[in-house]
Each structure stands twice: as C-alpha cells, then as structure tokens.
C-alpha cells in the first residue's frame, strides 16, 4: 500500500534542502547499483556536509510525523540521500535490494520512501512509476510531500524530459515485514483510534486483544 | 478458548436423549482408544438405532445454534456419540487424536465438544478437567448445556464416585485450524456485530478489510 | 497484481452477451450483500436461461485463455454473473467476502475478475476504482477486455453518471492463495518460458528445481 | 499454559520485599497505561532505591530458578515492578501490550509474571482472573509463590475488598514466541529429562533430533 | 530423507511383474515430460492390461507395508508405472513436477518411489543418483526392494551401459507436505513405538500431546 | 544440501595448522557435550595461543571464499575449533545443538562445517557419516578441503582405526535459517550469475524481483 502525505517538509525546509543541494557535491548514482545500466542519476555525496544537512532535515521530518510512523511501523531507517535527475536522466524498472549494507548490520528494505523537493511544474517527465502487473501508478508529488511504497514492487523513474527533479530517498526496515500484515494492523489501529471511545468496554477489549496479539505474531 | 452454552438442548431433548440411552446398546469405550488403559467408559453402539437417534438430536442442535457455529467455524463434524460413565468409571489424562478415521477422509479434530445430559446433581465426581499447565479448569455443565474446548489440550474425566454421568461427545474440524486465530477472528466478528452500525463507514470498511483477509489467510 | 487482457471475448461474443443481457431478467444486486447499503446494481438472475448463456460464454473464454490461467493459477471459478449499473447506480468501497457460498463447499475468493461488455464510450463514470492506500487505480476496460485483480483489496464502482455499464464478474479460488507468492511464481514461469532454451542445461534444471519446489510449498 | 511455583521467593525474601514496599515511594499505576480507565493500582516508583532493591530480589529469584527458565525460555526480562492494590483498587479486563518501551529496543511481552508478596489471608478479593472464553481461572498464590501465564490472554485483577494485595510483576520476551510451541518444546524436554536414560541410544538420538530441530525452527 | 525396504515385493511378485513386463506394450517415456530431451526410457502403456496388473501388484505391496506408510504419511498415490531402461537409455538430472495431472484433482508429488524389479546383476550403470549439492547418493536396490525419497531433490538415472533395468515408479502426496516435518513426526512416532511402555504415564501423555499437536499443525 | 570445496586452505595453510596442532594444548572433547557418552575426541584448548592461531587461519579462509559465503548466507560464525581423533576415537550419531553458548547472544547452528587438515591417507576409518534415513553419505575430504552440511541432520564420526584425523570444525548461523529456502535462493542466484547477461531486460528484472523478495521473506 501507498501513503502520500502533503507538507511532510515545510516550505522553508524545502527551500533549505534545495539550497543545500545546489551547494552539495553529487556523485554518479550507479555507484550504489553498478550492475544496472538503466540507472542514470546523481546522488548527494554522503561525505559532503551539505548533503548530510539535507539528510538531517528529512530524518527530523520523519521523527515528528506520526501518520508516517503509524503506517510504516519503523524499526530502522537508512540515511536519506539527495538524488537529482537532470534532463535525460532516469532509473529503469528495477526492484530495490532486499538488504542495504549500512552500518555493522545490513538493513532490510521493506518500505521505500521518496520526499519531493522539486515541484511538479519544475520538470517534465520524471514520474515515479510503480508497476502493479499490467496496471501502473504514476506519482509526481508536490514539493514537500512524501510517498511511502512497498519495496517489494518493481518501479522506475521515467526519463526527465526537461527541468530538474530533486528528491530525497530512503529505505525503511519495518517492525512488520509483510506488507499485507502491516496494512491490516494499520487498518485496525485506525478503527481503534476513531471508534474506541464509542464502543462498549467489552468490545474495545476484544479489539485490543486482536491488535496486540497480531502485533506479537507479525512483528520481528 | 472455551465456550459453554446453556440450553443447547431443550429440556425435552434432554429427556429424549436420556430415554434413548436407557434403551440403546452400549459397548466398551476403550474400543476407540485400545492402547489407553485409563479409558473406562461405555459408548453407545454406533449401529444401534436408539444411539443414532440421540446423535441426530445433537446434530440438529448444533445446526441451529449460531453462537456455537460462530465460535468453532465448523467445516466437518464427527457423528456425536453417547458416552456413559457409571460409578468408578473415568478417562485419565489424554490428548484427543489429531485425526479420526470417519468416512473416506479422516477428520482432523480441532475442537472437542461435550453435551451434558445428566444434571450435576445426578453424579458425584466425573468433572471434565482440562489441564492448562499447573492450573486446571473443572467443568460440570447443567443438563442440556454444551462446552466446546480446544482438542489441543490434555484433559480427563475424573472418576465418577456415585451416580451416572451421561453425555454426548463430538469432534469438529474447523475451517480455522489454529486456536488463537479462531479466537481472534471470533473477537473481531463480535466487535463487528455489536459496533459496526455505530461506526463511520470508512472504519467499518477497514474492519471488514481485516476480517475478510484474516479469514482468507487463516482458513483451509 | 493486476492483469488486463484485451479481446478476452471476441467482438461477436461481446455482442451476444449484450443481446442476452437485454433479454435476461435482472434482480437487485444487494441480494448478494444485503448488509451493504452502498451496493446498488442489477444482477442477472442466476436462474434465467439468458443469464446462464452469458455465463457460459465467459467461462469458455476463461478456459481457452492461457495468459489468464498462468496468472491466476485457478483451482475453482464461481459461476460468472451479469451485472448492470444504470445511471446513478454504484457499489461503494468494499472488500470481497473471503468465502462465497457456492455449491457444497464454499469457494475462497482470491482473485476477482471483471469482463467489460460495455465500451468506455457507452457510459460516463462507472470506473472500477481499486484503493492502494492513498493511491488509487481507475480501470475502465474496452469492450471484450478483462481485468483480474486481488480480492484482498478495497475497491468500488463509482457512480455511473449516464449510460449503462454492463459487465460480467466472477471470483476465483487460486491454487496459490497468497498474492505475492502467485506473482513471484508467475514471474519465474515467464523467465522460464522466454529464457530456458538459451540457458545451460544445469541452470535450467536449477530454475526448475526452484519453480517446482515453490509450487509445492505455496499451493494448496 | 500456566506455571505456578511455590517458594519462588524464600520467606526471608518475602519479608524483605514487604518491608521495602513499606518504605518505597509509589506512583499511580495508570501512568503505564493512561488510556485504560479501569486501571487503579499503585506502582513502586522505578527511581526509588527501595523499589529497585525489591526488583533485584525478584530478578535474582528468576535467575536461580531452573523450573521457571525451562518453562518460559527467557530471552529478555523487563525490570520487575512492585504493585500494590489497596482496598477498592482493581485492574479491569485488559490485554498486555505487545511491546514495552524498555531500553533502546522495545521488549515483546510473551509471558506475564506475578510474584505474590501478600498472603491470601492478607486481602479479600484481588484475584488474578484469566479469561479463557466462557471459562475463567482464578489465581491467588501463597506469599513467595509465582505464576507465569501467556501475555496473549485477556485478564484482570478483581477489586480488592479489604486488606492490601502486594505483588511484583514482570514481562518476559521468550526465545519461543508462540505459546503452543513453547509448551510442546517444554513437554519434550521433560520427556527427555525423565526418560532419556531408560531409552535405547537410537531412540534417544531420534528424540534429540526432534528437540533440537524444533528449537531451530521455533526460536527467534 | 530416504527409506529403503528389502522384500517390499516377494520373489514371486517380482517374477510376476517381470513376466507381465515382457508381455506389456511400452511407449516412449518422454510422453510424460516432452520438454526434457534427457529423458530416454520406455513406460508401460497405462491402457495395457499387463501393465495394469503390474501396477496392482505394487499398490497391494504399498497397502500392506506399515513401515512404508509410517514413513510417507500417504494421502494419495499415483498409479504406479512400469519403466524400462534398455542399454543406452537414461533420465538426466531433473526435478519431479510439483503436480501430476491424475484424475479430477492434480496430485502433489511429495515423495517419489522406485520399486526395483531387475536385480543389480541384471544391468551395468542405471543407478538412481540423487544430488545433495556437491554430494551424491547412488541407489541400486535388490530385486523386490523399494526406495522412497523426497520429490524435492534433483535426481537422475545414469545411462544403462548393458542389460535392462526394469522398475516400477510412483509418486505420493503426503498428509505432511514438508520433508523435515515428516521426518520429525516419524522420529517421534518411533520413539513412542519403542519406548512408551517403559515411560511414566505422565511422560507418555506429554509425548502424545506433542505428537498429536504436531500432526494437527503440519498436516493438510 | 552439501558443499565440498577443494583447496579451501592452501597447502601452506594446511601445514601451518598441522604444525600449530602439534604444539597446542588439547582438552577432552566431551567438555562441550558432557551428556554424550559416545563423544570421544580431543579439542584444541580455546585459550591456547596455538589453537587460536589455527582458528584465525580458518576464519580468514572463510572470509575470502565467495563460493562458501554464497552457499551458507552467513550471519555469524562460531570460533573454529581444532579437533583431533586419535586411533580408537569417535563421535557417535548425534544432532548438533540448536544453540551454542558463544558470547553474550547464543548462536543458532544452521550449517555445520568441517575443514580437513589430515589427508585421507593419514588415517583409516574416521569418515564423517551423515544419515539421510536409510541412506548414508560418507565424507573424507582431501587435506585443505572443506565440507558444509546442514546442522539439522543426524551425523557421526566413525571410529578412527589407525592414524590421526585432524580437522577444524565450526558452526554457522545463517541469514536464511531453513535449508530448502537457502538452497533455492542459492540456485536462483546461480541462474542469475550465469544467465542474466543473456536475458532480455524484462526477464532479468522479473528474476531479480523474485530473488530480492524471497530474500526479504526468508531471511532473519
């Protein structure tokens, strides 16, 4: 399942990130996936202090956003990366790697995340396209918005025709690895949040009985 | 989990079964579990027409009882048997067999069931005792009541000291084999039955989303 | 995952079904889901011979379509139903029931299926909308096309604004109940179909080793 | 399953804990579950040195008790808390949270644990009542005894009518999260402990083969 | 795991099958796996009465052999086939298909089975070779013996250099699909068969508790 | 499954280990499994610097050997031990313990590993024998070779008749605990390594889709 949140970053934060990106050093995106000839993008150098500040802004947004956390059940978050697609750049259909070699213990990528810094009017093309078999979803978020989507899908960034597409991406290891489990627990938590106060006590306890035990069963 | 239902059989049905039992032929209970020296009871001969009529009465009660069906998610039911414990008889601690050789395809026993024909005042001792580790549950139902309990537990019938304990027993293969799954789905169905009309439409749909998908995942 | 296939029915079959639908008796759609006040459609009476002929045409198409069968791994198929949405009719967001009471053994609905008889130009509105969290997929197929989608999703038919939307729907119990399992096995089968002849024998055997054993593990 | 052990604390340890409790600062129990209006108890302040000493006594008892460890397969233990129910206090039916926010990594509560400091004669009411569907278990242990029970059950402390109920509670993350798995492995380990020396070598190896492989499969 | 049983067929039965094979019509083995160019054998025509008699002899042996049934937990058995490898014939490395199209419902092949009719001295080469990664098992049974092995392995029949290799093969759908589960349950059943009478009653009940509940959990 | 690799240690490393073993202190092997009367071997004292150097040589070999790592998906490795069987010594049929008490967190043994220091000509008997039911595998590797095999099997070292059998053993916790999962993922990775460059891009992406998602599902 997908979650798009508007104003994940404030307009000021978007401006700051865009400014940091102008100053940061970028390196070839293929470094993180050298075997994929279809990957053609520029990634903020993780050792560059400007790029690191941009990462911090994204991390802070994630930490304060309850809606996002309730949706992804985060356990660990990869350091967010600035990514820039200039005109002609793209990332062909691919599947995100199961494990990212970050720190002493690899991080399993369960949920993928794109924060949009550029506004849709800033570039032609460049949509994030997620393949659902013969149907596709095309996502081009507003500046400051974020989209979370399952790392288990084949997806791509179609070529940018003109302009520049600046985003921050990250990958999240979830406490609840299976997507359907995560969505079901999220749905029950929403039922609880909105309806529990109206419920008879016994039914509320029954609902809690299921929620807590599903979380026991499905989490790692 | 356990479910005890009063008046599962009407007083008239209880009387009829008791009368049929007086006329029916009984055989040694150990026949169904010859390797268990602690089994000492008398079972209504499955070929005896009186015993068969008693079975039919129990089956009919099961078919009409929605509370029971909502609890056990029945898929198949073994033919119910009359069982009589005279003074001194008992069935030591045991676990019900996983599969019963009934008909062309063996029946997996997920839920065990006892319908009480004798009233508690009719016999001393003879409780159904279910072992939950160091704790035990002692069950001695009213005439016409029924108790459903997981076939996965070690249980026993303690010796009848005086009087006669007449019951009907059966075993149920459930659509939802795992007990905790069954209990959780039952709990959500109860939340839905009692609270759905009070809920916002969206939350009701979320609840249905979970219930139907859990049933898909957990049923066989 | 989704699979849309063009020309699932030939133009002649589409015409025949449309003609049969004009002659068939229709009943209120809510009969199959009386508790859902948002369901407002007309269903071909399953006892009407014209409706039955329409069902047969859809069944025959399914039987001959290898692409569809390779995608859904069918085990059982519910009898297809004619469904008509006149202007103003709709089916609000809902989840398909886990089990349909068809025949002696209920059918688990794993994959849902819509065959489009009306052409998109025949009606305004009336899209099949599938909710993927905050993203949605809108599907309005050409006459004669079919779409298969997971029964585990919340979906709806938005109100028909004008014209008439005539479709045939059915539900499929799959040999591979889990959607991700089904998609992965489908993907490996495609790799095998297109690449096996180019492979070294040992690698081809390795691929078969995985495909056959995944099918053992994941099928019911 | 349940395990009750007598003399888990020695009479001297019981006296020490009771004395520490008289000196320790207590805070409102609801702090740990503010949304539950039925929780009405007093908890030893985790920052109070007297309360901390009481915790240490319980931890030491757990470390030395092989019977307890063989039953719960402990992986992590939450810091034990002193809890006091004065006359009129209670904790309504509830389910223990799946995860407790202790330390850098949340602790999954698989097994719940109550150590009785007060003797049964010290208070009326106040039983720990565990709901097994329509049956209930009522537990009121001797001073110094402990009871371990699955965190997956709905349970409550019924109102204390008179006197004072002083207990120490804790929550355990088990190496074997699923209760039935835990019980089965415990049962096989007991068979091995009591019977292995009588067995033919080959059968003893067969038993070990199953025990070690079940532990591989079921542990985390 | 593997099970080889000597004298599965009596010497007279072996002679009868050999005689029937001489009279039966054989067809090209590749018919059952036309895409495998490495398959080169002759199969008894399933419509030939002599071949059918040979099948019946093998089925009867299976029905009476308790050791075999305790090992494979049979649910369904494919009709056994006569297979003959003349000099130069072979079946290259392959994996048995997950499902065989026998009767109205396909049969999942969990356990593969070869009954040896020829004696080892009757042919050079022709061993059944099972690949366990870099190790291999070579099996060439005595006339009348049988070997059961997991259908999940890559295996082959190496070329017959001289003489004739006559066998009967079949495929079994097991009540316990997973091989390790099957082996563990088999091991516990053997412990029970040989040790239960020496055990204390309580431990025997504990062992039964595990065996019956594992069978509930692992069977289909 | 099994993997035997020749020249895992270079001839010089083999010589070094043999020399270190001559100088190292050895202790009775039964220390690590005192309850097993059939264990009769000598283990390099883990506190002896010579034994520690031998361990380091084996660890280094493992770190540089890609074939081994691709096969076992290592997560943690127990410190390798020198083990010596003099004439008459043996280790009877046994199953490796599920967990080894190494360091603060026990290590689950999924894959067992033997590095051969002695050459086959150095000793009579002393084969590693792995029981696959009624079939057995006998392994006696060349000096410098290694064998990896599933810890889930019953295995033994048969008595050394003459000479000396010197090996290094270790135990590996795998990222993919289940053996069949590990073998299937290994097989797909091999197909990818050898065939991906020949494949159409779409099929290569399909293969990656399966490999990455299986690794998500099956790893811990």
């Amino acid at each position: 399942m997908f979650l798009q949140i508007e104003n994940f970053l404030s307009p000021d934060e978007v401006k700051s990130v865009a400014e940091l990106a102008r100053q940061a050093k970028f390196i070839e995106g293929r470094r993180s996936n050298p075997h994929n000839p279809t990957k053609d993008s520029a990634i903020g150098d993780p050792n560059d202090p400007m790029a690191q500040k941009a990462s911090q802004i994204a991390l802070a947004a994630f930490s304060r956003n309850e809606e996002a956390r309730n949706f992804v059940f985060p356990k660990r978050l990869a350091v967010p990366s600035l990514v820039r697609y200039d005109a002609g750049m793209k990332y062909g259909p691919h599947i995100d790697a199961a494990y990212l070699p970050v720190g002493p213990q690899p991080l399993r990528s369960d949920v993928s995340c794109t924060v949009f810094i550029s506004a849709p009017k800033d570039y032609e093309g460049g949509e994030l396209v997620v393949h659902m078999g013969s149907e596709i979803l095309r996502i081009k978020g507003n500046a400051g918005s974020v989209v979370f989507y399952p790392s288990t899908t084949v997806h791509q960034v179609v070529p940018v025709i003109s302009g520049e597409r600046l985003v921050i991406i990250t990958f999240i290891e979830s406490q609840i690895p299976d997507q359907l489990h995560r969505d079901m627990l999220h749905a029950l938590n929403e039922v609880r949040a909105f309806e529990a106060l109206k419920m008879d006590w016994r039914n509320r306890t029954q609902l809690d009985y299921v929620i807590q035990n599903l979380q026991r069963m499905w989490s790692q």
Side-chain angles (χ1 to χ4, degrees), chain A:
Chain A
M1 290 295 165
F2 294 77
L3 176 66
Q4 206 168 147
I5 304 176
E6 296 291 330
N7 302 313
F8 183 70
L9 296 186
S10 72
D12 279 357
E13 289 171 324
V14 170
K15 247 185 246 170
S16 301
V17 172
E19 183 55 34
L20 289 163
R22 258 186 293 282
Q23 301 170 31
K25 185 182 160 200
F26 276 76
I27 58 180
E28 227 186 315
R30 202 170 300 171
R31 279 202 203 172
S32 75
N33 193 349
H35 303 302
N36 191 329
T38 75
K39 183 170 189 179
D40 181 11
S41 60
I43 298 196
D45 183 336
N47 298 316
D48 181 285
M50 300 296 120
Q52 290 170 350
K53 274 189 197 165
S55 293
Q56 290 308 314
I57 290 172
L59 279 176
F62 193 80
S63 295
R64 75 189 176 221
N65 195 300
E66 206 177 347
E67 188 181 0
R69 289 201 317 277
N70 289 346
F71 181 78
V72 299
F73 297 86
K75 193 172 175 181
R76 290 173 69 201
L77 205 77
V79 175
S81 303
L82 271 175
V83 184
R84 204 186 65 219
Y85 292 83
D86 299 325
M89 286 179 169
K90 64 172 198 302
Y91 194 168
H94 66 282
I95 174 91
D96 290 333
Y99 281 89
L100 306 180
V102 297
Q105 203 188 339
L107 177 147
R108 190 187 58 234
S109 174
D110 297 316
V111 180
S112 300
C113 167
T114 300
V115 184
F116 294 90
I117 305 302
S118 305
K121 65 173 175 43
D122 295 341
Y123 57 108
E124 280 182 284
E127 287 96 348
L128 171 63
V129 169
V130 184
H131 296 253
M132 317 295 292
S134 63
E135 304 299 310
I136 63 172
L137 280 167
R138 297 181 161 272
I139 302 174
K140 194 170 186 173
N142 292 323
S145 73
V146 69
V147 63
F148 296 95
Y149 59 102
S151 303
T152 52
T153 55
V154 171
H155 52 272
Q156 70 185 111
V157 177
V158 298
V160 169
I161 295 168
S162 67
E164 178 195 286
R165 178 188 191 260
L166 186 65
V167 296
I168 294 178
I169 64 166
T170 189
F171 304 93
I172 301 157
E173 181 169 330
S174 176
Q175 205 191 23
I176 316 279
D178 183 277
Q179 183 223 309
L180 185 53
H181 291 172
R182 211 159 51 227
D183 291 334
M184 291 166 78
L185 206 42
H186 179 241
L188 281 189
N189 279 336
E190 288 213 325
V191 170
R192 196 191 190 291
F194 295 121
E195 302 288 346
L197 294 181
K198 293 189 232 161
M199 288 186 184
D200 289 349
W201 185 258
R202 182 185 148 79
N203 294 328
R204 185 170 157 182
T205 303
Q206 292 280 68
L207 184 58
D208 283 348
Y209 168 70
V210 176
I211 289 174
Q212 297 303 326
N213 283 339
L214 287 180
Q215 195 165 354
R216 278 189 178 87
M217 285 168 50
W218 289 344
S219 62
Q220 290 191 343

